[in-house]
Amino acid sequence: TCDWSSDVCSSDLTRTVNFAHGAFVLAGAWATYGIAEGLKLGFWPAYVLVPLAAGALAAGVEIVILRPIRQADMLAVITSTIFIGIGLSELYRLIQNTEMLSVPNPVPGPPIFLGDVIVTYEQIWVFGGALLCGLIGLAIFSYARLGRGLRAMASNPRGAALCGYSADAMNATAWFLGGALAGLAGVFAAPRSEEHTSELQSHVRIS
């Protein structure tokens, strides 16, 4: 849900196919490892710090790289997101110098057996977090002024501009929200198999 919502924010709302989306998920998983294992701050601060950092990174990409070329050619924008995704993945490889990093399970415990179905506490945690993100997103897009502005910009940019909404501000906001949700998806994905790799962005983009 977080991954899908992130793609909706950065792609559907800005009418740009974001091939860098998976790289932001990878960045979120990598940052989670840095907070939990590198800085020894524990896993829980990542749920706040990583989405904010990933959102800022995504908004920075939109403002610095994509905004200057947005009026030129949509193909140039789409191509740029491809190379941004590749660049972030290669940056991970250069800095970390490894393909796999171990991230501990934040909610350990014995599995729950429901007949032939096996459910873990981590699966319950991820499902609950994804459901909460979906409900918060639904409330924002249904009732908040910010959500109305994003929906207006997605359906009719010229009409939204006439209503006083700034296209630049809405695009940056959409990329921030998309990046934040991608970072949060990375936090949830990081301990799923107790490891994450630089190929995580490819799996996210394909799925």
Side-chain angles (χ1 to χ4, degrees), residues 48-75:
V48 176
L49 299 177
V50 170
L52 293 176
L57 174 62
V61 166
E62 197 284 326
I63 293 171
V64 175
I65 301 176
L66 300 182
R67 183 175 298 178
I69 63 175
R70 191 175 295 279
Q71 301 302 323
D73 184 0
M74 185 56 67
L75 179 61

Side-chain angles (χ1 to χ4, degrees), residues 66-141:
L66 300 182
R67 183 175 298 178
I69 63 175
R70 191 175 295 279
Q71 301 302 323
D73 184 0
M74 185 56 67
L75 179 61
V77 176
I78 295 174
T79 304
S80 297
T81 66
I82 295 175
F83 283 102
I84 290 168
I86 294 173
L88 288 175
S89 178
E90 292 305 313
L91 179 64
Y92 165 87
R93 285 191 174 100
L94 287 173
I95 294 177
Q96 202 60 53
N97 196 29
T98 183
E99 285 294 316
M100 295 185 180
L101 295 172
S102 177
V103 180
N105 187 344
V107 281
I112 301 172
F113 294 91
L114 302 174
D116 294 332
V117 179
I118 301 176
V119 181
T120 66
Y121 288 105
E122 183 186 4
Q123 290 173 328
I124 297 173
W125 173 253
V126 171
F127 176 79
L131 180 62
L132 179 61
C133 288
L135 293 175
I136 292 174
L138 179 63
I140 290 175
F141 282 101

